[in-house]
Amino acid sequence: MALTSTPEVRTTKPAPVTAARESDAAASPARPRASLFENVIHQFNKAADLMGLDANIRKILSKPQNEISVNFPVKMDNGRVEVFTGYRVQHNSALGPFKGGLRYHPSVDIDEVRALAAWMTWKTALTNIPFGGAKGGIQLEPWKYSPDELQRITRRFTYALGENIGPEYDIPAPDVNTNPQIMAWILDTYLSTIPPHLRQGCTHVVTGKPVVSGGSLGRDKATGQGIVFLIEQWAKDKGLTLSNLTYTIQGFGNVGSWAARLLKQLGARMIAVEDHTGAIAEAAGIDPDALADYVRIKGGVRGYESATAIDRVALFRMKADIFIPAAMESQVTAATAPMLEVHLVAEGANGPTDPEGDAILQQRGIDVLPDFLCNSGGVIVSYFEWLQNKRSEYWDLEEVDHKLRKKILGAYRSVRETAAEFKTDWRTAAYIVALRHIAIVYNERGIFP
Ligand code: NAD
C-alpha cells in the first residue's frame, strides 16, 4: 500500500514537545544561525537533560579530546607550491580507537570537523562497535586539482598527521570527495613511514580501501545498504510495501547512489534527485543504475536526458513517501522543512537537519531516521574491514551483509524502544542509547587519577 495523503501543515506555531530546549527552538526560528558544533551540543543537551546524564560525563563529552590542525606545502603540476590546511578532531575514545572519515571540501573547518567527530562518537556507541569518534579533512576544492596533485596532497597530509593516526589509535575512512583510491594512498604513505617489520600488521590503519589492498567486500555500498535495511524495517513497521513507495534524494555520490540502486532492487521509485550540479525529476521514475553511469562520466546529474531539470525548491516540495538527504549538513531547516511533503526523512548525510528543521518535522508528524543511526552502515562495515585485516581474513559478501543487517537493525530496535520509553523523538532516543553506553564505561573506569 502506498502512502496517498501527506500532511498539509504549514504552521509556524510550536507544537507541544517534550523538552524545553526544543520548544525554544521551534518558537524562535530567528535564532542566530548556530555553528554545526552548536547544533550537536543542542541535540546532545536535549538528550542529556531528558535522561539525567551525570553532570561530569556531560562536561567531558561536550568537548573533543584532541584537535589537530596542520598546514602543509604541496608542489603543484605547474611547479608552484600551495599550502593546505588539514584537520583531525578526535572527539572521544572511551569505547576504543578513534574512528571517522576524511572529507575534502571547501566547507571543511575546525567547527565542521568537530561536529562530525562528535557524531562519530555517538554512532559507534549506538551501534555497539569498539571505536571512539573522530573526523578530519582538508579545506580545498578537490575538483580544481589533477589526480597527481590530489595524490601528493593526500600523501603529504598523511605525513603531516604522522603518529596522530594509527591502526590501534585513529583510523580514517572515506567521506565527501574521498574514496578507496585516496585510502590506498594513505595506507601506502603510512606504511612507508613505519619500520619495515611492522608494516604487514598495520593495514588496518585506514578502512574503505580497495578490496585488493585489504578492503572489505561490501564497504563501497555499506552506508547505502544500511539506509535501505532501515527503510525496509520502517516500512514493515508501518505496514507499507516498499515496492509501492516513491522517494526523492539529495546527493548522488557514494551514499545517495548506493541507497538508490539498492532501493531499485526492492521496487521503490526515485522521482527526483539533486546534487551539486542541479536537480532533475521524472514522475515515472529515474533509473538509479543508468543515472550512476551518467554521473560517472559527466560528474553530476545535470543534463541527464531521461528526466526534466527542476530547481532546488521543487525538489523539497515534491510529494513523495521518503526524502533521503545524502549530501551536506543543514539542508532541512526552518526554510525547507515546511516544504517537505513526505512521511519519512532518512538521513544519509551527517547533520542534514538543523534543530529548527527538526522541530518542524516533529510538529508535522514526519518520521526521521536520524543520521547517526541511518548512515551507520559505513562505520559498521569499516569495523568489519578492520577485523578482517587484524585476522588476515577475507569475508564473503553474504557474511558482511548478514552481519551489517543484524547490527544496524539491533540499533534500530534500541532506538525504537528508547523513544517509546522516554516518549521522545528518534534522534533524542538515539542519543540516549549512545550516551547510556558511554556513561557506563566512564562510571566503571573512573577518571584518572
Ligand atoms: P560523496 O562525495 O560521494 O557525494 C556527495 C554528494 O553530495 C555528491 O552527489 C555531490 O554532488 C552532492 N552535493 C555536494 N554538495 C551539494 C549541495 N550543496 N547540494 C546538493 N548536493 C550536493 O560523499 P558521500 O560519501 O556520499 O557522503 C555524503 C554524506 O553522507 C556526507 O554527509 C557524509 O558525511 C555522509 N556519510 C558518508 C559515509 C560514507 O561511507 N561515505 C558514511 C556515513 C555518512
Side-chain angles (χ1 to χ4, degrees):
M1 178 194 69
L3 291 162
T4 47
S5 65
T6 46
E8 283 296 327
V9 186
R10 285 277 190 278
T11 176
T12 52
K13 192 168 161 247
V17 282
T18 48
R21 282 180 157 272
E22 188 173 54
S23 44
D24 290 350
S28 320
R31 178 171 82 102
R33 197 176 167 81
S35 81
L36 203 60
F37 189 64
E38 283 167 349
N39 285 350
V40 177
I41 294 300
H42 181 99
Q43 298 169 346
F44 168 80
N45 281 336
K46 179 179 172 191
D49 288 347
L50 193 59
M51 70 188 285
L53 182 68
D54 177 276
N56 292 326
I57 296 172
R58 187 195 285 238
K59 263 188 234 164
I60 294 168
L61 294 176
S62 296
K63 285 194 191 296
Q65 252 171 260
N66 308 311
E67 297 188 343
I68 300 125
S69 162
V70 290
N71 297 312
F72 55 95
V74 180
K75 200 178 262 184
M76 298 292 107
D77 291 344
N78 64 11
R80 280 186 19 247
V81 166
E82 270 190 45
V83 175
F84 296 88
T85 302
Y87 303 96
R88 187 72 179 167
V89 172
Q90 298 167 331
H91 178 261
N92 189 271
S93 61
L95 301 184
F98 299 109
K99 184 85 188 84
L102 290 178
R103 176 176 288 196
Y104 288 3
H105 196 272
S107 71
V108 169
D109 63 16
I110 193 69
D111 178 79
E112 182 182 81
V113 178
R114 212 176 262 156
L116 292 164
W119 278 315
M120 286 306 299
T121 299
W122 320 141
K123 199 180 301 186
T124 51
L126 169 66
T127 51
N128 198 15
I129 55 181
F131 287 138
K135 203 82 175 193
I138 308 176
Q139 190 182 75
L140 85 173
E141 293 165 273
W143 45 89
K144 285 193 175 166
Y145 299 95
S146 71
D148 281 349
E149 287 171 336
L150 280 176
Q151 178 173 173
R152 290 196 294 276
I153 293 166
T154 300
R155 287 183 179 279
R156 191 61 202 246
F157 179 42
T158 309
Y159 186 77
L161 287 174
E163 291 183 352
N164 289 301
I165 60 169
E168 305 289 336
Y169 179 58
D170 184 351
I171 305 124
D175 192 73
V176 174
N177 294 322
T178 58
N179 56 27
Q181 174 61 75
I182 287 177
M183 300 306 115
W185 292 330
I186 294 174
L187 172 70
D188 188 68
T189 308
Y190 181 82
L191 295 184
S192 303
T193 60
I194 61 171
H197 66 285
L198 297 178
R199 289 178 191 162
Q200 292 312 323
C202 289
T203 52
H204 52 306
V205 65
V206 64
T207 58
K209 301 180 286 288
V211 173
V212 285
S213 289
S216 175
L217 289 172
R219 176 60 184 89
D220 50 356
K221 67 168 180 136
T223 309
Q225 181 69 76
I227 294 170
V228 173
F229 284 148
L230 294 174
I231 290 178
E232 234 183 327
Q233 186 60 47
W234 170 84
K236 203 169 156 195
D237 287 354
K238 296 272 168 186
L240 301 169
T241 307
L242 253 183
S243 59
N244 292 333
L245 301 188
T246 56
Y247 64 95
T248 58
I249 195 159
Q250 186 195 47
F252 206 72
N254 173 279
V255 177
S257 69
W258 272 112
R261 291 167 68 184
L262 295 163
L263 280 170
K264 174 186 162 186
Q265 293 171 14
L266 300 174
R269 192 156 38 99
M270 177 168 80
I271 56 170
V273 194
E274 187 199 17
D275 74 359
H276 72 287
T277 64
I280 53 171
E282 170 50 57
I286 300 168
D287 178 3
D289 291 304
L291 184 62
D293 289 342
Y294 178 87
V295 169
R296 216 167 289 128
I297 297 162
K298 301 282 186 184
V301 303
R302 189 193 178 118
Y304 182 64
E305 319 73 39
S306 308
T308 310
I310 56 167
D311 65 22
R312 177 184 159 78
V313 169
L315 178 110
F316 274 94
R317 288 198 188 285
M318 190 148 303
K319 192 169 175 168
D321 296 305
I322 303 166
F323 172 54
I324 306 175
M328 304 301 287
E329 44 277 354
S330 302
Q331 300 298 306
V332 181
T333 62
T336 57
M339 298 176 190
L340 285 171
E341 295 285 354
V342 298
H343 300 275
L344 172 70
V345 174
E347 297 183 338
N350 285 303
T353 305
D354 73 10
E356 288 78 9
D358 222 6
I360 294 168
L361 295 182
Q362 274 181 60
Q363 196 181 317
R364 297 185 58 210
I366 296 175
D367 289 347
V368 175
L369 288 171
D371 49 7
F372 66 90
L373 167 65
C374 193
N375 67 33
S376 63
V379 76
I380 291 172
V381 177
S382 274
Y383 168 53
F384 298 159
E385 178 176 330
W386 187 78
L387 280 181
Q388 289 170 73
N389 294 160
K390 277 167 76 95
R391 299 174 183 172
S392 299
E393 288 178 359
Y394 271 115
W395 301 354
D396 61 31
L397 187 57
E398 289 69 32
E399 184 173 357
V400 171
D401 280 350
H402 172 76
K403 288 186 157 129
L404 166 61
R405 191 168 194 283
K406 196 169 162 198
K407 231 183 190 344
I408 204 162
L409 291 185
Y412 175 97
R413 280 189 287 273
S414 305
V415 173
R416 189 178 56 194
E417 283 160 19
T418 307
E421 180 188 341
F422 283 86
K423 297 186 177 42
T424 191
D425 60 280
W426 279 44
R427 189 184 314 284
T428 307
Y431 266 89
I432 293 175
V433 177
L435 296 176
R436 272 177 172 170
H437 186 166
I438 300 169
I440 289 169
V441 173
Y442 273 107
N443 283 330
E444 284 173 356
R445 286 167 53 166
I447 306 292
F448 175 83

